[in-house]
């Protein structure tokens, strides 16, 4: 992965459509880091169309979620057209991340190739993996999970095994809390 903040050329060329479904979308880090990182990639990449589906256990209306997205992006240093496009392509789906049925509904709500971004407490990682194991997953699904990965090294290894059982390694990312632009590029393309 690149360590600079430059947008790699591969993310700029060609049309890319991806839906980022954020489990734990009500968290502070989603608003402060994840959404602005995504917006910076979209702003610099005219061939990238991103839809954002917020998902959390606590209900929000579409308008409430779109308000969160807009407030987050207004301080991200991106164009008004990028803000308007991302806000208009944002939805919210109330989701219990440990429920296979609710994860199925969330994935079905994604209008383009889904990226399931797991921004949940460590104890939830294995529950999400177990629920996903019950589903027939889209072939183009990618999964990103934020650290910490479990509560101990043994927990992290168990979580890795559980995730490996549901998705190939080349479609799985383990992300630091701060999602910088290079990481966002890799997730979207």
């Amino acid at each position: 992965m690149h360590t600079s903040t430059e947008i790699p050329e591969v993310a700029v060329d060609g049309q890319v459509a991806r839906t980022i479904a954020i489990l734990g979308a009500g968290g502070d880090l989603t608003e402060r880091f994840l959404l602005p990182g995504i917006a910076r990639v979209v702003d610099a990449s005219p061939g990238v169309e991103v839809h954002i589906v917020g998902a959390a256990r606590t209900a929000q209306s579409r308008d409430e979620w779109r308000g969160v997205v807009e407030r987050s992006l207004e301080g991200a240093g991106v164009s008004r057209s990028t803000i308007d496009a991302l806000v208009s392509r944002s939805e919210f789906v109330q989701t219990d991340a440990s429920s296979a049925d609710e994860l199925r509904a969330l994935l079905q709500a994604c209008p383009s190739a889904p990226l399931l971004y797991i921004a949940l407490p460590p104890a939830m990682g294995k529950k999400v993996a177990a629920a996903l194991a019950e589903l027939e997953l889209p072939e183009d699904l990618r999964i990103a999970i934020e650290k910490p990965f479990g509560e101990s090294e043994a927990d992290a290894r168990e979580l890795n095994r559980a995730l490996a059982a549901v998705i190939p390694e080349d479609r799985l990312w383990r992300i630091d809390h701060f999602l910088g632009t290079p990481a966002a590029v890799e997730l979207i393309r």
Side-chain angles (χ1 to χ4, degrees):
M1 179 177 311
H2 301 279
T3 56
S4 75
T5 57
E6 297 297 312
I7 308 268
E9 202 60 36
V10 69
V12 179
D13 292 339
Q15 182 67 30
V16 176
R18 182 147 316 269
T19 299
I20 302 175
I22 306 168
L23 288 173
D28 176 57
L29 295 175
T30 294
E31 190 170 346
R32 287 190 7 219
F33 296 118
L34 179 58
L35 293 172
I38 292 166
R40 284 189 286 277
V41 171
V42 171
D43 197 51
S45 307
V48 173
E49 179 180 290
V50 172
H51 297 256
I52 300 170
V53 179
R57 198 171 241 191
T58 304
Q60 283 189 50
S61 71
R62 171 199 278 176
D63 289 341
E64 287 171 326
W65 172 244
R66 286 182 172 184
V68 168
V69 173
E70 185 166 19
R71 278 190 310 277
S72 172
L73 302 186
E74 285 176 341
V78 298
S79 70
R80 185 74 228 177
S81 62
T82 295
I83 294 170
D84 292 343
L86 286 172
V87 168
S88 72
R89 292 191 303 256
S90 294
E91 299 293 335
F92 189 87
V93 177
Q94 185 176 2
T95 306
D96 174 353
S98 63
S99 165
D101 289 337
E102 292 189 27
L103 288 176
R104 179 184 298 109
L106 175 62
L107 291 171
Q108 289 171 344
C110 295
S112 56
L115 162 69
L116 187 60
Y117 192 97
I118 304 169
L120 295 168
M124 287 299 297
K126 288 183 278 187
K127 292 177 182 179
V128 172
L132 290 172
E134 296 179 35
L135 303 178
E136 186 173 326
L137 298 173
E139 286 185 29
D140 54 1
L141 173 69
R142 294 177 181 193
I143 295 176
I145 185 166
E146 280 188 357
K147 75 170 195 166
F149 315 113
E151 297 172 337
S152 66
E153 181 180 348
D155 249 10
R157 290 182 186 281
E158 189 175 333
L159 176 57
N160 276 330
R161 282 191 293 276
L163 290 169
V166 298
I167 194 160
E169 180 67 29
D170 67 339
R171 293 190 286 138
L172 174 63
W173 284 264
R174 295 155 193 88
I175 305 292
D176 195 344
H177 287 299
F178 174 76
L179 180 68
T181 300
V185 168
E186 289 301 312
L187 295 173
I188 292 170
R189 70 177 182 98

